[in-house]
Amino acid sequence: MTPLRPRRPRHEEHLLITIADQPDLRRFEARDEGTLVGFADYIRTDELIVFTHTEVDTAWEGHGVGSRLAEIGIRTAEHNHLRVLAICTFIASWMARHPEFAHLEYRSTSAVTD
């Protein structure tokens, strides 16, 4: 069976992207009518969510899929009273552009002494 190629995205106003948390896979997934078009991997503890990697299919780049993954992931963290550590550079840059979520950013409070 030949694998299906991802469809080219339609104009943004017609995108029907759904974002869902897949805790068993430890990631948020972006899908268009069931087809996976992007994901944001994470590690979660009782107090923290660490975003490690975000990837969007090249056919969908520039259509806001990564930003939707970031926003839903961050809002989910806020809803669950979790701090956010963004190892993923995409998520980190998204948070930097959205200071309304700065209160969620995890920062170490321990100091290293010699």
Side-chain angles (χ1 to χ4, degrees):
M1 178 177 209
T2 304
L4 297 175
R5 290 190 167 274
R7 291 177 305 174
R8 297 304 257 168
R10 300 173 295 261
H11 294 288
E12 284 189 52
E13 61 269 16
H14 300 294
L15 291 178
L16 298 174
I17 300 298
T18 57
I19 308 293
D21 187 6
Q22 301 295 332
D24 292 344
L25 299 174
R26 298 183 314 174
R27 68 186 191 179
F28 286 90
E29 292 184 341
R31 292 184 175 272
D32 174 47
E33 298 178 1
T35 301
L36 182 66
V37 297
F39 59 88
D41 289 331
Y42 64 80
I43 299 167
R44 183 176 170 168
T45 71
D46 291 338
E47 300 172 355
L48 181 70
I49 187 165
V50 181
F51 287 97
T52 58
H53 179 70
T54 301
E55 192 169 320
V56 175
D57 186 290
T58 55
W60 291 87
E61 289 176 358
H63 293 275
V65 174
S67 292
R68 299 253 334 262
L69 283 163
E71 181 179 5
I72 297 300
I74 303 296
R75 288 188 185 278
T76 299
E78 183 175 44
H79 177 78
N80 289 299
H81 308 287
L82 300 172
R83 301 300 297 255
V84 175
L85 175 57
I87 294 173
C88 168
T89 56
F90 182 85
I91 300 288
S93 66
W94 188 92
M95 286 190 75
R97 291 189 313 274
H98 295 86
E100 65 271 26
F101 295 107
H103 65 283
L104 298 174
E105 188 174 358
Y106 174 80
R107 295 180 189 260
S108 175
T109 56
S110 62
V112 177
T113 59
D114 291 345

